[in-house]
C-alpha cells in the first residue's frame, strides 16, 4: 500500500511475520471470509427470483423452494461467519501469545538503567494493552479488507448485471452524496466543539469565589461576584441551547439529504422498470444490494485509521523488543572464585551527561575479608557495591574479581559468584521455601533450605506459621514483618553460598530482639566470604576487617574501627553521634 509511510509498511510486514507460522488457520479464515462475502451478494441476488417467481409469475417451484434457499443461505453464512471469527481469533491470540512471550523474555534481559528511565506502568501497558491492540487492529483490518472488499465487489457486480446504467449512475453519484453528507456532518461537529469550548466559565468563576471567599467577604465583593456569575450562567444557557439545537438539527438534515438521494435512485429505477429493462424483482434486488453496500463501505473508509492505530501500537512494541539487552562483552566462565575483589580508579555516572557519582575509587579486598562502607545518605555506597554484579558498567577504571576484569566474564558466571541482600528486600508471591530457594537455587533439598533458614535465625518464626515453610508470603511478602523478611533474604543468600557477599543493610528500626537475631544471622552469613557491607549497625561495623568512609562519591578515610577512632576524623565523629543516639 502506498498510502502509509514506508516504515509503517515495514512494521506491518514484521507483524505478518508473526502470522505466517499459523497460515493454515489464517487460510481457513480467509476462505470463510470470502464465503461470507459471497452469501451477502447471494442474498441480494436471491431477492430477484424470489419476487419475480413467486409474486409475479406464481411459479410453484419457487414458492416451494424459496424458504429452503433462504434457510440454506443463512446456514452457510452462519457457519462461515463462525469459522472466520474463530480462525481469526485463533491466529490473533497466537500472535498475542508469542509477542507477550518475547517481550517478557526481553524484559528479563534489560539493563537496570532501562528500568531507571522507564516507568513500570508504561511497561505493563505495553505488555497488556498495546499487544491486545495490535492483534485487534491486524485481525480487524484483515477481516474488513477481505470480507467487505469482496462484499462490495460482489454486490456491485450484481447491480451491474441487473442494470448497468443504473449501477453506473449510482457508482458516480454515491461518492458525491457521501462527500456532501460528510461536509455537512463536519460543519455541525466543528460548530458544536466550538460551543463546547466556551462553556467552562461558570465553574471558573464559582471556583474563584469559593477559594477567595475570605477576600470576597472582607472586601464586600458579593455584588461583583454575583454579577459576574449571572452573566456567565446566562451565557452558558444560551450556548448550551445552541449546542442542543445544532445536534438536534444535524440528524434530520443528513437523513433528509440521504432520502433525496435514495428518491433519485428509486425514480431512475422505476423509469427502468417502466421501460421493461428491470423486473419488479430486479428492482427490489437492486435496492437491497444498495442498502447492503452501506455498512461494508462505511467500515472500509475507516480502515486506514484502525490500521494506523495498530501500526503505532506495534511500533511501540517493536521499539521495546529492539532496545539493547544487557551488554555481555566477554564470556569467560569462572568456576568458583577465590573472592579477591579490586576496584581500580573506578569512576561512575548514571547518565552520559550527569555528574560523577563515584570518583577514582581504589580498593582491594582479599578473599574472605569483610569491608564496611559508611557515610551519609547519597554518598554513593549502594552505587559502589552495585557495580560489582554489573547492574551498571563503570564509566572509567575497572573492577576485577580474582584478577579478571568483570566485563570479560559471562554475566551469569559473574553473578553466580555474588549473593546480594539489598536495601529493598524482594520476595515473590510464593511459599517461604520457594522464596529461599529462588532462581538457580530451585531444586535445593528440603534439608538445605531448613539449614539455611536455621542459620538465618528464620526457622524460629517459620515454625510458628500454620504451614511452616509452605506458607505463602503474599505479594512482596506483605504477610511478614520487616525483620522476618530480612531474615528470609539472608537465608536465600546463605543457601546460595557464593564466595562474595554484598549486604546493603536496611536502616529500618528494629526492636532489640529482632536486631539480635539479624545480627547473629549476618555474622553466620559473613563467615568465610568476601563481604562488602553497607553498615548501619555499630555492631556490624566493629567486627569487619576494614571500614571505608565515603563522602560525595569518594573514599575519605579507611582503616579498622580502632585505627579510625584513634584518627579522630569523620568516622570518629559519626561513631560518636550514633553512640549518643543508642
Ligand atoms: N538509578 C539512579 N539514577 C540516577 N542517579 C542515581 C540513581 N541511584 C542513585 N543515584 C544518585 O547517586 C547518588 C548516590 O546514591 P546511592 O544510592 O549510591 O547512595 P547511598 O550512599 O547508598 O545512600 P543511602 O545511605 O541513602 O542508601 C545519589 O546522589 C543519588 O541521587
Ligand atoms: Mg543505599
Amino acid at each position: 500500500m502506498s498510502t502509509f509511510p514506508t516504515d509503517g509498511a515495514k512494521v506491518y510486514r514484521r507483524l505478518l511475520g508473526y502470522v505466517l507460522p499459523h497460515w493454515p488457520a489464517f487460510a481457513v479464515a480467509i476462505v470463510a471470509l470470502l464465503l461470507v462475502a459471497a452469501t451477502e451478494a447471494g442474498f441480494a441476488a436471491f431477492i430477484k427470483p424470489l419476487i419475480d417467481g413467486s409474486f409475479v409469475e406464481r411459479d410453484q417451484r419457487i414458492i416451494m423452494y424459496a424458504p429452503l434457499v433462504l434457510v440454506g443461505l443463512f446456514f452457510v453464512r452462519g457457519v462461515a461467519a463462525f469459522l472466520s471469527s474463530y480462525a481469526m481469533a485463533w491466529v490473533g491470540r497466537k500472535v498475542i501469545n508469542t509477542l507477550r512471550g518475547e517481550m517478557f523474555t526481553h524484559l528479563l534481559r534489560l539493563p537496570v538503567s532501562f528500568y531507571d528511565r522507564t516507568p513500570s506502568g508504561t511497561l505493563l501497558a505495553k505488555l497488556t494493552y498495546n499487544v491486545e491492540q495490535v492483534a485487534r487492529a491486524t485481525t480487524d483490518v484483515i477481516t474488513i479488507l477481505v470480507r467487505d472488499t469482496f462484499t462490495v465487489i460482489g454486490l456491485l457486480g450484481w447491480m451491474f448485471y441487473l442494470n448497468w446504467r443504473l449501477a453506473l449512475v449510482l457508482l458516480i453519484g454515491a461518492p458525491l452524496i457521501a462527500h456532501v453528507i460528510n461536509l455537512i456532518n463536519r460543519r455541525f461537529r466543528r460548530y458544536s466543539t466550538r460551543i463546547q469550548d466556551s462553556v467552562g466559565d461558570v465553574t471558573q468563576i464559582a471556583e474563584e469565589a469559593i477559594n477567595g471567599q475570605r477576600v470576597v467577604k472582607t472586601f464586600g465583593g458579593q455584588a461583583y461576584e454575583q454579577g459576574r456569575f449571572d452573566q456567565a450562567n446566562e451565557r452558558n444557557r444560551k450556548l448550551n441551547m445552541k449546542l442542543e439545537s445544532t445536534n438536534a438539527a444535524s440528524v434530520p438534515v443528513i437523513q433528509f439529504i440521504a432520502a433525496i438521494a435514495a428518491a433519485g435512485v428509486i425514480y431512475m429505477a422505476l423509469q427502468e422498470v417502466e421501460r421493461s429493462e428491470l423486473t419488479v424483482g430486479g428492482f427490489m434486488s437492486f435496492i437491497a444490494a444498495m442498502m447492503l453496500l452501506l455498512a461494508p463501505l462505511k467500515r472500509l473508509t475507516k480502515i486506514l485509521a484502525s490500521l494506523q492505530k495498530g501500526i503505532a501500537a506495534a511500533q511501540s512494541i517493536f521499539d521495546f523488543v529492539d532496545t539493547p539487552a544487557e551488554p555481555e562483552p566477554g564470556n569467560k566462565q569462572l568456576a568458583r572464585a577465590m573472592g579477591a575483589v579490586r576496584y581500580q580508579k573506578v569512576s561512575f555516572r548514571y547518565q552520559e551527561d550527569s555528574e560523577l557519582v563515584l570518583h577514582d575509587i581504589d580498593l582491594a579486598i582479599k578473599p574472605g575479608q569483610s569491608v564496611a562502607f559508611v557515610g551519609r545518605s547519597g554518598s554513593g555506597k549502594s552505587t559502589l557495591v552495585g557495580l560489582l554484579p554489573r547492574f551498571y558498567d563503570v564509566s572509567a577504571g575497572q573492577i576485577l574479581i580474582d584478577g579478571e576484569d568483570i566485563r570479560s566474564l559471562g554475566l551469569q558466571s559473574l553473578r553466580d559468584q555474588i549473593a546480594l541482600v539489598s536495601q529493598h528486600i524482594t520476595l515473590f508471591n510464593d511459599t517461604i521455601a520457594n522464596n529461599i530457594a529462588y532462581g538457580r537455587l530451585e531444586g535445593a533439598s528440603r534439608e538445605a533450605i531448613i539449614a539455611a533458614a536455621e542459620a538465618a535465625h528464620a526457622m524460629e518464626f517459620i515454625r510458628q506459621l500454620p504451614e511452616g515453610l509452605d506458607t505463602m508470603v503474599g505479594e512482596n511478602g506483605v504477610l511478614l514483618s520487616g525483620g522476618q523478611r530480612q531474615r528470609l533474604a539472608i537465608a536465600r543468600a546463605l543457601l546460595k553460598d557464593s564466595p562474595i557477599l554484598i549486604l546493603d543493610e536496611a536502616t529500618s528500626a528494629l526492636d532489640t530482639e529482632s536486631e539480635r537475631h539479624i545480627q547473629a544471622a549476618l555474622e553466620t552469613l559473613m563467615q568465610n566470604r568476601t563481604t562488602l557491607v553497607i553498615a548501619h549497625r555499630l555492631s556490624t561495623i566493629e567486627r569487619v576487617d576494614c571500614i571505608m568512609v565515603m563522602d560525595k562519591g569518594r573514599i575519605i578515610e579507611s582503616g579498622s574501627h580502632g585505627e579510625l577512632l584513634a584518627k579522630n576524623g569523620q568516622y570518629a565523629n559519626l561513631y560518636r553521634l550514633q553512640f549518643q543516639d543508642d
Side-chain angles (χ1 to χ4, degrees), residues 205-222 225:
I205 292 173
E207 203 174 295
E208 270 183 22
I210 292 166
N211 292 335
Q213 46 121 349
R214 279 162 198 262
V215 180
V216 174
K217 285 192 169 75
T218 47
F219 286 86
Q222 287 90 342
E225 294 296 337

Side-chain angles (χ1 to χ4, degrees), residues 116 350-351 357 375-383 392 423 536:
D116 286 349
Y350 276 99
Q351 269 105 36
V357 175
R376 271 193 292 224
S377 180
S379 54
K381 306 180 296 289
S382 297
T383 307
Y392 301 91
Q423 212 164 358
H536 299 286

Side-chain angles (χ1 to χ4, degrees), residues 30 264 333:
I30 299 290
Q333 304 294 315

Side-chain angles (χ1 to χ4, degrees), residues 84-389:
S84 70
S85 297
Y86 186 85
M88 225 19 139
W90 195 85
V91 174
R93 286 286 131 189
K94 278 283 182 188
V95 170
I96 290 179
N97 202 280
T98 315
L99 271 176
R100 279 216 180 113
E102 278 183 18
M103 287 170 80
F104 193 76
T105 308
H106 193 63
L107 202 83
L108 298 174
R109 294 172 55 232
L110 286 169
V112 177
S113 58
F114 176 85
Y115 290 98
D116 286 349
R117 43 167 214 275
T118 317
S120 60
T122 315
L123 284 178
L124 292 178
K126 268 195 223 268
L127 202 61
T128 53
Y129 179 69
N130 281 18
V131 177
E132 294 278 348
Q133 213 181 18
V134 166
R136 163 135 300 230
T138 25
T139 51
D140 279 2
V141 164
I142 291 171
T143 301
I144 292 173
L145 213 56
V146 175
R147 183 192 59 203
D148 291 343
T149 309
F150 280 93
T151 305
V152 168
I153 292 175
L155 287 172
L156 277 178
W158 173 245
M159 287 158 91
F160 270 93
Y161 169 79
L162 277 178
N163 188 299
W164 65 268
R165 257 167 307 176
L166 206 52
L168 203 63
V169 169
L170 197 74
L171 204 60
I172 296 165
L176 215 74
I177 301 290
H179 185 67
V180 171
I181 288 180
N182 211 356
L183 270 183
I184 294 173
N185 219 342
R186 212 175 310 161
R187 158 123 334 165
F188 272 125
R189 224 172 311 147
R190 201 178 321 145
Y191 194 50
S192 62
T193 25
R194 203 171 344 144
I195 297 171
Q196 247 153 10
D197 287 343
S198 55
V199 166
D201 311 357
V202 175
T203 35
Q204 207 240 322
I205 292 173
E207 203 174 295
E208 270 183 22
I210 292 166
N211 292 335
Q213 46 121 349
R214 279 162 198 262
V215 180
V216 174
K217 285 192 169 75
T218 47
F219 286 86
Q222 287 90 342
Y224 170 72
E225 294 296 337
Q226 188 69 59
R228 274 205 321 157
F229 187 82
D230 288 346
Q231 230 177 6
N233 202 10
E234 180 58 17
R235 206 169 89 90
N236 182 280
R237 186 190 64 80
K238 283 185 182 151
L239 283 176
N240 269 314
M241 276 320 292
K242 259 192 204 164
L243 190 68
E244 294 294 337
S245 53
T246 310
N247 287 341
S250 75
V251 174
V253 166
I254 287 169
Q255 276 178 350
F256 188 64
I257 293 174
I260 291 177
V265 173
I266 290 172
Y267 173 77
M268 275 185 287
L270 288 175
Q271 300 289 313
E272 296 289 316
V273 175
E274 195 78 330
R275 282 200 280 144
S276 326
E277 294 279 334
L278 205 56
T279 61
V280 179
F283 169 77
M284 291 304 284
S285 180
F286 192 92
I287 300 295
M290 194 173 80
M291 295 301 184
L292 288 174
L293 262 180
L294 290 177
L297 275 179
K298 209 166 172 183
R299 284 195 292 264
L300 278 170
T301 53
K302 285 190 189 142
I303 200 172
L304 207 63
S306 16
L307 191 60
Q308 269 157 354
K309 224 193 286 169
I311 283 183
Q315 179 82 59
S316 92
I317 286 170
F318 291 146
D319 282 349
F320 170 77
V321 174
D322 292 341
T323 43
E326 284 186 290
E328 193 164 7
N331 196 26
K332 201 177 283 178
Q333 304 294 315
L334 272 185
R336 188 185 166 89
M338 299 283 299
V341 173
R342 237 190 120 92
Y343 280 56
Q344 282 180 336
K345 291 226 160 306
V346 170
S347 294
F348 177 75
R349 49 167 56 94
Y350 276 99
Q351 269 105 36
E352 296 280 327
D353 49 356
S354 63
E355 300 255 308
L356 280 180
V357 175
L358 296 175
H359 302 262
D360 285 331
I361 300 289
D362 270 308
L363 55 96
I365 312 171
K366 295 202 192 79
Q369 267 197 340
S370 51
V371 172
F373 298 89
V374 298
R376 271 193 292 224
S377 180
S379 54
K381 306 180 296 289
S382 297
T383 307
L384 187 146
V385 298
L387 296 180
L388 196 57

